[in-house]
Amino acid sequence: MTAHAGDDFTLFPESLGTLAPMVMRSRAGAGTRLANGLFAASLADRCSSGDTLELDKRPFDLRAAAPLPPLMRVYLYTMTTHPSERQQGAYRIQIILPNKGRHFDTTDDAYVILAGYNPSLEVFALWDADAHDIGKGIPHSKGVQVLEDTLLEAMSRGVARQTRRLRGTDESETVVASRPDTLPEALELRWQLSIERLIS
DNA sequence: ATTCGTTTATAAGTTCACCC
DNA sequence: GGGTGAACTTATAAACGAAT
């Protein structure tokens, strides 16, 4: 299913709080923007400033405190599962960078968050952006997937992770899935994993 | 044979312009 | 000034092809 402006607001949990008006006023890609709002709202108490959020943009920046990256640049996409999906129980997001961009924008040393959100399950998935933005970067679009099992586990336990090997390389990435209410933990974990990758 | 990645197509939403 | 219509932009969906 798809979240379009005007219909699926009820799919989003109470957590939007005061962000709701802002989110509802947002424009293109309602589904994504709603997710943006939820994402931000989930981190509200961890952010240095819950205001000045530009949810109308993709990606959008988020400033956080303490255990989280100071500046996060969030690329959030709607995570879907296709009827014709080859792999049963697989969810995926399609990365399409704005304006012919070939790489994630890391200006200002922002930590890039590559995330997906599924409104039906109400779970986020966090990929390792660095692991995907390598070499020539992203062509036109790039799809990454998660197993449904991981998502379900995240739903019940709050946070879950899944490692999968990227073909073409011997590198493996870790996908972190999480419920909105445990997003801070998931992000922290994701960040730690990225750091570990850098020093290896 | 199966899984992942890339590309193309279709749909919806939003914005801009013109006409009443 | 308001309303209606058209065009454009961006997102979502699906299929195809390559690699393991």
Side-chain angles (χ1 to χ4, degrees):
Chain A
M1 78 113 252
T2 307
H4 295 303
D7 47 44
D8 297 311
F9 285 104
T10 53
L11 288 173
F12 290 81
E14 69 304 324
S15 26
L16 280 177
T18 57
L19 280 163
M22 183 192 308
V23 176
M24 291 176 72
R25 202 183 316 119
S26 67
R27 329 186 231 157
T32 296
R33 263 65 196 195
L34 284 166
N36 278 356
L38 178 57
F39 190 97
S42 300
L43 267 49
D45 52 326
R46 293 297 194 97
C47 291
S48 48
S49 59
D51 46 341
T52 62
L53 290 175
E54 303 194 69
L55 300 174
D56 280 5
K57 300 192 307 183
R58 182 218 298 292
F60 71 91
D61 292 352
L62 211 54
R63 294 180 184 287
L68 295 176
L71 176 59
M72 295 183 287
R73 186 151 295 145
V74 183
Y75 287 79
L76 184 60
Y77 295 84
T78 305
M79 180 164 55
T80 60
T81 181
H82 301 161
S84 63
E85 186 61 64
R86 300 154 250 350
Q87 184 177 8
Q88 180 68 354
Y91 283 70
R92 62 153 60 181
I93 62 172
Q94 238 182 188
I95 307 164
I96 300 178
L97 269 15
N99 301 324
K100 307 159 183 66
R102 292 293 96 109
H103 293 277
F104 291 116
D105 183 7
T106 54
T107 306
D108 299 326
D109 295 317
Y111 174 60
V112 176
I113 302 288
L114 178 56
Y117 176 71
N118 184 295
S120 302
L121 270 41
E122 292 180 12
V123 287
F124 284 103
L126 310 171
W127 283 267
D128 190 333
D130 293 330
H132 289 284
D133 187 14
I134 55 179
K136 79 284 186 184
I138 288 80
H140 280 70
S141 66
K142 186 177 175 66
V144 293
Q145 44 273 121
V146 229
L147 262 33
E148 183 175 37
D149 288 344
T150 308
L151 263 30
L152 296 177
E153 186 181 335
M155 289 174 72
S156 57
R157 301 187 188 179
V159 179
R161 55 171 130 173
Q162 170 203 340
T163 57
R164 67 193 194 100
R165 196 172 307 285
L166 270 41
R167 83 177 182 201
T169 63
D170 56 334
E171 294 181 55
S172 63
E173 71 163 340
T174 300
V175 182
V176 179
S178 135
R179 283 199 310 258
D181 60 287
T182 51
L183 196 53
E185 296 174 38
L187 282 172
E188 190 178 338
L189 173 59
R190 170 104 296 285
W191 194 32
Q192 290 302 321
L193 292 170
S194 295
I195 292 174
E196 291 172 17
R197 176 187 305 286
L198 288 176
I199 58 180
S200 61

